[in-house]
Amino acid sequence: MSQSPIKDFSPAAVLRYRQGWKALNKLLHEDRSFSGHERNCAFLNLGDGRFADISAAIGFDFADDGRAVACVDWDRDGDLDLWVTNRTAPRLRFLRNDNPRGNHFLSVKLRGNGRTTNVDAIGARVELHLGGAEPLKLIKTLHAGDGFLAQSSKWLHFGLADRTEIDRLVVRWPGGKSETFRNFSVDRRYIVHQHGAAVAWELPVAAVALKASPPQLPKSSDHARIVLPAPLPAPAAQYVDRNGNKQSLLPAGHGPLLVNLWASWCRPCVAELQEWADHEAEIRDAGITILALSVDDLDDKSGDRGAAEAILKRAKFPFQTGWASAPLLQRLNTFQEAMLDRWQPLPIPSSFLIDRQGRVVVIYKGTLGVKQLLDDASLLTATPQQRRMAGLPFDGRWSTGPPTASPLRVSSQFIDRADISSAIDYLRRYGESVDTKHSDGVALRQLGDVYYVLASLLGDQGQAAEALAAYALAASYSSDDFRIRSGWGELLAQQRKFVEAAEQFRQALRITPGDVTTLRRLAGVHVAARNFKEAARLLTAITRRQPNSAGIRFQLGEVYRVDGDIRRAVEQYRAAVKLNPKLYVAANNLAWILATHPNSQIRNGEESVRWAKIVCEASGYKQPQLLDTLAAAYAEAGQFSEAAKMLERAIALPAAKQDTALGEKLRGRLELYRQEKPFRNSPPKP
């Protein structure tokens, strides 16, 4: 079960969280349960902390994949009934409480004043004090949301058993003040007004009598006909023809086409092929071509084709045939899963009806009769509204327009299966297939999304030139998309195209002014282009908005350091480590400057030692560069023997032995410290 990070927001913790959600969604899509279809449970409170499982006794232990339960006196007979929702059918159950009644109840609804308390009085705590020989206090709190994905009735229901004496009702309103109400009768309902009175509420006359009706679930079937209101291109794939040559599934200008997957061991497949062969003329008159691909030999080794060849010969099958490959089957399966919330593998037989533009219009699972195929031929040229209505099992009216094509669902499915090349190819081919001259603004913005995802994928695969071209196309269709401008600028910066990167970051800031991440990236571009003054201006502006950001202070210090403004660099480093003492890179830079700078007014040996010690302790005294800083600090503080010891320790480390240039530097400074001379570092040239 995915658990939200509370304190640990490290990359590893966030990754585990995302992986948990991904696993849960996979279970849902594959018709599997979170918890293994545990039956619903009900427990009877026996007192003294003991409970009894009475699930079966009260008929509550359905084998549903349950989700939410809400309590309400639905039939208004004085006891609580239950509404239960499930992930699987039946999606909704009403469980009416028909246990014989011999007990009493009291039900109250709270009304806040709307000023100090919300009108619904959410958060109020109610105490019901019962009188008699043994006084009893019952407590309930009014919640907004009750359990998982549920909201029980806002009537607070108190079961009283055989008690009949009510002393008082105490309401602690969300504002903190309490009120006491009296004069209640059992087996009644009251509306309790804040700063007012408790008013008895009478039941209205029931308009509809509730009658029990066990849910009638539809019969399961291995056949399905899925009409796509917004057709999408079929994925690119190859099959092997009867001559052993590889062919494209969708050659240019080919269609309408019915791609069929079948097997020699599948009797319904054989009957289906025979029916199509017997009605060849009608199918061809409808303008449809059939491509029947056998799955008998997915390894393409010509080892299992004899049975399939015999069936085709016996049926005198007149249409195109060939052999499906494993990649073809996988891509078609991925496509159909992307179209549906249920990720069930393609059965055999399965078919795809494809129009002249290479778009899948209908997916068939199970056998397909000639009549249905001929009827669906009209869908190849139908409007989106007509296709949407053709795919429904009932009539109705829609409050929204037909859905638009969503190629990102298909590419996401490929990505989830680590088939990045297919995702890239699919998005690229989709973009090339869109008629931009006749597309509206919504469709063009969606095309911008497609090219943005394509650019991101290409960039991740190291195809920088293609990614930059895709970003340019994305921006041409959706110029005010912050993600596009930001991603484009980041890739340009990685390619050291700093002028172009700065322009894209400025465009991103035009869309989302003040975005700190973009401002920092723009500052980084200016640093790379050695425009230090502009970088410092941007980072200074950020510090005014986020004065407590140690990371920004450090970045500003780095800019001042490389620009040669050491005083300001020291000021920012000090601010950074004060905000975050564990920002060790800032502490080390600060210590080095304080120990080695030529200007005595900047140097501070005591402070340098303090920061250098903190850094070395955090690293376990195992990094020669950090020991070098501590040695320089000791030397500045006049502790030359300690400085020499630190450098001797640094030189003995494996890293220093392996790095010849570093070892030479350390030995040179060691000689200085043995002569009781501090090391002076030349300031960087801007």
Side-chain angles (χ1 to χ4, degrees), residues 441 550 562:
V562 297

Side-chain angles (χ1 to χ4, degrees), residues 150-231:
Q151 170 65 66
S152 292
S153 171
K154 285 182 286 189
W155 282 94
L156 295 177
H157 184 94
F158 292 90
L160 307 182
D162 59 354
R163 307 292 288 262
T164 58
E165 296 184 31
I166 298 176
D167 179 54
R168 65 190 184 278
L169 186 83
V170 179
V171 181
R172 182 177 294 278
W173 302 98
K177 294 185 178 180
S178 298
E179 280 190 277
T180 300
F181 301 86
R182 299 183 185 274
N183 301 321
F184 293 94
S185 299
V186 298
D187 300 332
R188 299 290 301 275
R189 296 169 176 82
Y190 293 85
I191 297 180
V192 179
H193 297 268
Q194 186 178 13
H195 306 321
V199 181
W201 183 77
E202 299 298 332
L203 285 171
V205 178
V208 178
L210 299 179
K211 296 181 180 180
S213 58
Q216 299 295 323
L217 301 182
K219 294 181 179 180
S220 61
S221 172
D222 56 358
H223 287 68
R225 169 179 170 269
I226 303 109
V227 179
L228 306 185

Side-chain angles (χ1 to χ4, degrees), residues 624 650-663 666-667:
I651 292 170
L653 290 172
K657 292 180 179 179
Q658 294 171 4
D659 189 336
T660 306
L662 175 62
L666 296 178
R667 282 188 288 272

Side-chain angles (χ1 to χ4, degrees), residues 224-283:
R225 169 179 170 269
I226 303 109
V227 179
L228 306 185
L232 281 167
Q238 289 185 325
Y239 69 95
V240 179
D241 65 19
R242 300 283 288 280
N243 297 319
N245 300 315
K246 290 186 177 181
Q247 302 289 346
S248 172
L249 182 66
L250 297 170
H254 194 79
L257 176 68
L258 181 74
V259 176
N260 170 250
L261 302 174
W262 69 285
S264 61
W265 41 260
C266 167
R267 288 188 178 182
C269 297
V270 176
E272 182 180 55
L273 293 176
Q274 187 65 63
E275 183 183 1
W276 293 345
D278 293 342
H279 294 82
E280 174 192 3
E282 297 170 64
I283 294 173

Side-chain angles (χ1 to χ4, degrees), residues 121-432:
I122 301 299
R125 171 188 166 103
V126 179
E127 300 176 358
L128 180 64
H129 295 261
L130 302 179
E134 297 182 4
L136 179 66
K137 179 170 67 173
L138 304 176
I139 301 174
K140 286 186 178 290
T141 301
L142 184 57
H143 298 285
D146 191 12
F148 178 72
L149 297 179
Q151 170 65 66
S152 292
S153 171
K154 285 182 286 189
W155 282 94
L156 295 177
H157 184 94
F158 292 90
L160 307 182
D162 59 354
R163 307 292 288 262
T164 58
E165 296 184 31
I166 298 176
D167 179 54
R168 65 190 184 278
L169 186 83
V170 179
V171 181
R172 182 177 294 278
W173 302 98
K177 294 185 178 180
S178 298
E179 280 190 277
T180 300
F181 301 86
R182 299 183 185 274
N183 301 321
F184 293 94
S185 299
V186 298
D187 300 332
R188 299 290 301 275
R189 296 169 176 82
Y190 293 85
I191 297 180
V192 179
H193 297 268
Q194 186 178 13
H195 306 321
V199 181
W201 183 77
E202 299 298 332
L203 285 171
V205 178
V208 178
L210 299 179
K211 296 181 180 180
S213 58
Q216 299 295 323
L217 301 182
K219 294 181 179 180
S220 61
S221 172
D222 56 358
H223 287 68
R225 169 179 170 269
I226 303 109
V227 179
L228 306 185
L232 281 167
Q238 289 185 325
Y239 69 95
V240 179
D241 65 19
R242 300 283 288 280
N243 297 319
N245 300 315
K246 290 186 177 181
Q247 302 289 346
S248 172
L249 182 66
L250 297 170
H254 194 79
L257 176 68
L258 181 74
V259 176
N260 170 250
L261 302 174
W262 69 285
S264 61
W265 41 260
C266 167
R267 288 188 178 182
C269 297
V270 176
E272 182 180 55
L273 293 176
Q274 187 65 63
E275 183 183 1
W276 293 345
D278 293 342
H279 294 82
E280 174 192 3
E282 297 170 64
I283 294 173
R284 292 194 185 278
D285 287 346
I288 297 175
T289 299
I290 296 177
L291 173 60
L293 300 177
S294 170
V295 300
D296 285 27
D297 185 18
L298 292 179
D299 293 332
D300 189 22
K301 295 180 180 178
S302 303
D304 264 334
R305 298 181 178 178
E309 292 279 13
I311 289 170
L312 293 172
K313 183 177 181 180
R314 187 165 57 248
K316 297 180 181 179
F317 194 72
F319 299 102
Q320 289 179 276
T321 59
W323 311 99
S325 64
L328 179 145
L329 195 61
Q330 181 180 9
R331 289 169 189 171
L332 288 177
N333 186 64
T334 299
F335 177 86
Q336 65 91 19
E337 286 185 352
M339 296 297 98
L340 306 171
D341 278 338
R342 298 181 64 195
W343 294 352
Q344 295 297 319
L346 279 172
I348 298 297
S350 288
S351 302
F352 296 78
L353 183 58
I354 302 173
D355 66 11
R356 291 186 181 279
Q357 287 75 44
R359 304 176 304 173
V360 176
V361 177
V362 189
I363 302 173
Y364 304 96
K365 295 185 177 183
T367 56
L368 168 62
V370 170
K371 183 179 184 307
Q372 185 67 69
L373 175 59
L374 298 178
D375 288 344
D376 288 346
S378 62
L379 297 176
L380 296 168
T381 56
T383 65
Q385 178 64 21
Q386 290 170 333
R387 279 193 293 264
R388 177 165 66 169
M389 295 306 298
L392 293 176
F394 46 78
D395 293 329
R397 291 183 298 174
W398 290 88
S399 60
T400 60
T404 57
S406 181
L408 296 180
R409 294 178 60 180
V410 182
S411 63
S412 295
Q413 203 76 354
F414 279 125
I415 293 169
D416 285 346
R417 281 153 178 74
D419 191 355
I420 307 300
S421 61
S422 291
I424 290 174
D425 177 73
Y426 191 83
L427 293 177
R428 182 181 281 134
R429 289 193 307 108
Y430 176 83
E432 293 170 353

